[in-house]
Amino acid sequence: MEGRMQVTEWTPGTMSEVFHSDCPARVVLDHVTSRWGVWVLMALQRGDLRFYELRERIEGISEKMLSQTLRTLVRDGLVWREVEPSTPPKVTYGLTPLGRGTGEPLAELFGWIRDHAFEILDTQAEFDRVGGK
């Protein structure tokens, strides 16, 4: 297929292969866990959103970064994009079946982080208090 990376020669075996620099999973992991990728995927878990709704839901993301992140996730097949012809065009985003598969693992990770955030912050404060020793 033109424009697609050929990975047919990759034969997955053990989990340790993700540590190899040529493992295709590393590229996907970089996109899913990028600074904004994880937030976009989590925001879309609740349903389809227009561009401006995503921008409002994800505090701190610029329009440029949201556009770049969405473009990457659409290219990866995790997010779909629909343009409704109007002036200005209405663009809606949602998760593909592949993208919905990220929901449960990300939700578990977010839950763990939420449950342990104060403990981690306390540990950081203690580390800083004793001078990092």
Side-chain angles (χ1 to χ4, degrees):
M1 297 179 136
E2 192 174 323
R4 288 195 136 168
M5 183 172 133
Q6 295 292 324
V7 291
T8 53
E9 69 279 354
W10 181 259
T11 307
T14 65
M15 189 63 172
S16 65
E17 289 176 347
V18 297
F19 294 102
H20 288 259
S21 62
D22 62 348
C23 178
R26 289 179 79 162
V27 174
V28 177
L29 184 65
D30 286 346
H31 295 172
V32 170
T33 62
S34 69
R35 178 169 183 190
W36 298 111
V38 69
W39 294 108
V40 168
L41 292 167
M42 286 301 295
L44 291 172
Q45 287 295 325
R46 294 185 179 171
D48 307 341
L49 294 170
R50 302 264 303 280
F51 183 88
Y52 76 91
E53 293 172 318
L54 274 167
R55 189 187 65 232
E56 288 174 0
R57 181 163 294 171
I58 305 169
E59 288 187 26
I61 192 168
S62 68
E63 285 191 20
K64 178 182 177 183
M65 286 311 303
L66 180 56
S67 291
Q68 288 176 355
T69 302
L70 285 165
R71 190 176 311 114
T72 298
L73 295 174
V74 167
R75 181 175 179 257
D76 289 345
L78 300 172
V79 171
W80 56 262
R81 178 182 188 265
E82 180 179 58
V83 179
E84 186 180 319
S86 62
T87 306
K90 295 178 182 176
V91 184
T92 304
Y93 295 90
L95 294 176
T96 65
L98 192 60
R100 280 194 296 278
T102 66
E104 189 175 322
L106 287 177
E108 285 183 35
L109 177 62
F110 270 55
W112 185 91
I113 291 169
R114 182 196 57 237
D115 293 346
H116 295 87
F118 289 113
E119 180 182 348
I120 292 168
L121 293 174
D122 288 345
T123 302
Q124 290 173 351
E126 178 62 19
F127 181 89
D128 294 344
R129 187 184 68 73
V130 298
K133 296 178 183 175

